[in-house]
Amino acid sequence: MYHTIVTLKKGEGRGLKSGGMWVYDNEIDSVLGSFKNGDVVEVRDFDGYGMGCGYINTNSKIRVRMLSRKKDTVIDEAFMEQRVRDAWNYRKECIDTLSCRVIFGEADFLPGIVVDKFADVLVVESLALGIDRWKLTIVESLKKVLAEDGIVIRGVYERSDAKVRLREGMECSKGFIGEAFDTKVEILENGVRYLVDVEDGQKTGFFLDQKNNRAAIRRFCKGKKVLDCFTHTGSFALNAGAAGAASVLGVDASQTAIDQAAENARLNGLENIVSFKCADVFELLPQLETAGECYDVVILDPPAFTKSRNSVKNAVKGYREINLRGMKLVKDGGFLATCSCSHFMDPDLFAKTIREAAVGAHKRLRQVEFRTQGPDHPILWAADQSYYLKFYIFQVVSER
């Protein structure tokens, strides 16, 4: 069916054969036929067995990203619309869809593209050449599918400004898809209101993956003194405040994020309970300890300390340090919520790092919950790049 046949080396393609979505450059024996980067090609095993089809890019070590495991699949507008429809139907079953991730790349069998829905606005992040060709088709399909449920999308903004695009041979892209609109979008999540800056906020403007985890910390916060580290635009802090915390301090190194967090606090009438401070968390935590401060609840939601395997060792040091310092600030019998959003900080390594921090802090941990990213960021088994967020809630007790 396709003009180009990609054949795997004998013994290679183990990830693909176990359900993965990628074919790496060093797994390929031959590429027969003419093609342009971004074209759809057929993938075969060394013995000619059909493995499916995907788009190819010689600029990337991920040489082929699979679109279908069926070799005769026609990749056209109808195919893309069905993928979009399947993704939306899944989310309607699994999560509050007022604001959510509606397309999550490989986990929705649309590798290389992410689409977030913030109220009636869509934000698109396209990270791979092959899917970039279908970006507008996917957007139009999504608008059509949502309209069938009475949801009218008033605007679409593109945030394809991640440097990973350069490795795909593409330039970064940012701006409106269609008519311009006010890029400060108000959303409602867990009963908390936020202004999301889809133009200049981090990533697509707001971290939707922690929605259920933010709700999970509420039951520990009523009447309590809470510290929220790496607060970004205040989401955990505001959930604590909305749950009835006596006081909440949110800390972040970005003044822009702190200003937005303070605006979100005012939006919810929580400015007298939830306050924010611009500071380096690594520097502030020892200072708070020296000053004799302690908290009923400490929340650690840092950015990814590692985005590659090469920097994992340094990331471990960072996670160990903030968890050790955070535990020391928790009152005996209080609670620690801690997480890692780095794919390369795997669950076993993250757990080991937390254990080491507890030993260093002379604390004992009782696990209350272990959680991952929200179901709108589904974890596709065998495609482990879709699993990245690890989230623990512990009770912290002194050694006894």
Side-chain angles (χ1 to χ4, degrees):
M1 170 180 280
Y2 296 103
H3 298 298
T4 305
I5 307 297
V6 174
T7 302
L8 302 179
K9 295 176 182 176
K10 187 173 183 178
E12 295 291 353
R14 287 183 291 275
L16 180 63
K17 293 168 187 176
S18 64
M21 300 286 288
W22 295 347
V23 178
Y24 289 94
D25 57 352
N26 60 3
E27 296 181 300
I28 294 173
D29 181 58
S30 66
V31 180
L32 299 178
S34 60
F35 67 92
K36 294 180 181 178
N37 283 331
D39 285 353
V40 177
V41 299
E42 182 182 345
V43 178
R44 295 180 182 175
D45 205 357
F46 75 98
D47 58 0
Y49 181 81
M51 305 292 290
C53 60
Y55 55 81
I56 190 170
N57 188 352
T58 59
N59 293 307
S60 175
K61 287 186 178 296
I62 305 171
R63 190 56 47 91
V64 181
R65 298 174 190 255
M66 301 298 289
L67 286 166
S68 174
R69 306 307 290 265
K70 299 177 181 178
K71 65 177 181 179
D72 296 327
T73 302
V74 177
I75 306 300
D76 56 11
E77 291 185 358
F79 172 89
M80 293 296 171
E81 181 179 318
Q82 189 58 53
R83 283 283 197 260
V84 167
R85 191 175 297 279
D86 291 345
W88 177 243
N89 287 339
Y90 161 79
R91 278 146 182 90
K92 289 193 295 182
E93 295 286 341
C94 295
I95 201 165
D96 158 34
T97 57
L98 284 175
S99 293
C100 67
R101 178 153 292 182
V102 287
I103 304 289
F104 186 41
E106 281 76 358
D108 285 306
F109 310 104
L110 288 169
I113 192 166
V114 164
V115 184
D116 284 341
K117 174 182 175 291
F118 297 112
D120 56 357
V121 165
L122 298 178
V123 181
V124 181
E125 184 180 30
S126 172
L127 300 173
L129 178 62
I131 207 69
D132 206 63
R133 294 184 175 184
W134 293 98
K135 176 176 58 188
L136 297 182
T137 297
I138 290 169
V139 167
E140 290 306 311
S141 295
L142 191 49
K143 290 165 71 174
K144 174 185 175 181
V145 169
L146 292 173
E148 293 172 4
D149 283 336
I151 301 169
V152 178
I153 295 300
R154 67 179 172 91
V156 182
Y157 198 84
E158 181 169 12
R159 285 296 304 272
S160 302
D161 49 357
K163 291 183 179 179
V164 69
R165 280 175 64 95
L166 303 178
R167 297 202 295 268
E168 288 277 316
M170 298 188 292
E171 295 180 353
C172 293
S173 179
K174 179 180 176 182
F176 296 101
I177 297 177
E179 295 295 320
F181 57 92
D182 184 354
T183 55
K184 295 288 183 69
V185 181
E186 183 174 322
I187 69 169
L188 182 70
E189 179 194 273
N190 300 335
V192 178
R193 297 162 68 194
Y194 303 92
L195 280 176
V196 176
D197 185 350
V198 302
E199 181 177 8
D200 294 318
Q202 288 189 34
K203 300 283 189 173
T204 60
F206 187 78
F207 297 111
L208 292 163
D209 51 3
Q210 295 270 31
K211 177 189 295 187
N212 291 352
N213 300 338
R214 289 189 276 265
I217 62 103
R218 285 179 167 229
R219 67 180 182 273
F220 306 103
C221 295
K222 186 173 183 179
K224 303 297 177 60
K225 181 180 178 182
V226 179
L227 175 66
D228 177 23
C229 300
F230 310 97
T231 192
H232 189 226
T233 54
S235 54
F236 274 104
L238 293 171
N239 272 268
S247 68
V248 184
L249 174 62
V251 183
D252 199 277
S254 166
Q255 186 62 55
T256 300
I258 289 297
D259 292 343
Q260 183 66 68
E263 186 175 0
N264 286 334
R266 290 190 292 272
L267 191 64
N268 289 277
L270 293 170
E271 64 270 27
N272 294 325
I273 298 171
V274 184
S275 61
F276 297 97
K277 181 181 181 68
C278 184
D280 184 316
V281 171
F282 285 92
E283 295 176 359
L284 182 63
L285 294 186
Q287 293 171 10
L288 293 174
E289 182 186 347
T290 300
E293 292 285 351
C294 55
Y295 298 84
D296 298 293
V297 180
V298 171
I299 301 162
L300 303 173
D301 181 22
F305 289 160
T306 176
K307 295 184 179 180
S308 71
R309 298 188 192 282
N310 296 331
S311 58
V312 167
K313 185 176 291 187
N314 286 332
V316 167
K317 293 178 182 178
Y319 284 113
R320 186 189 299 123
E321 174 69 9
I322 61 163
N323 278 279
L324 185 151
R325 296 294 180 182
M327 290 174 200
K328 286 187 174 183
L329 290 171
V330 179
K331 294 178 181 178
D332 187 23
F335 294 90
L336 172 75
T338 183
C339 65
S340 167
C341 63
S342 171
H343 162 69
F344 295 100
M345 191 74 176
D346 67 54
D348 289 342
L349 181 58
F350 187 50
K352 178 176 180 287
T353 302
I354 294 171
R355 285 197 300 271
E356 290 171 352
V359 171
H362 303 290
K363 299 290 186 178
R364 304 295 297 278
L365 300 180
R366 286 202 281 220
Q367 182 177 321
V368 181
E369 286 193 57
F370 174 73
R371 310 173 66 89
T372 60
Q373 63 237 41
D376 54 336
H377 296 63
I379 298 169
L380 181 65
W381 282 38
D384 69 347
Q385 63 272 12
S386 65
Y387 179 21
Y388 65 95
L389 182 60
K390 287 75 61 179
F391 182 92
Y392 283 100
I393 300 176
F394 295 105
Q395 186 187 46
V396 181
V397 297
S398 301
E399 290 188 332
R400 57 186 69 180

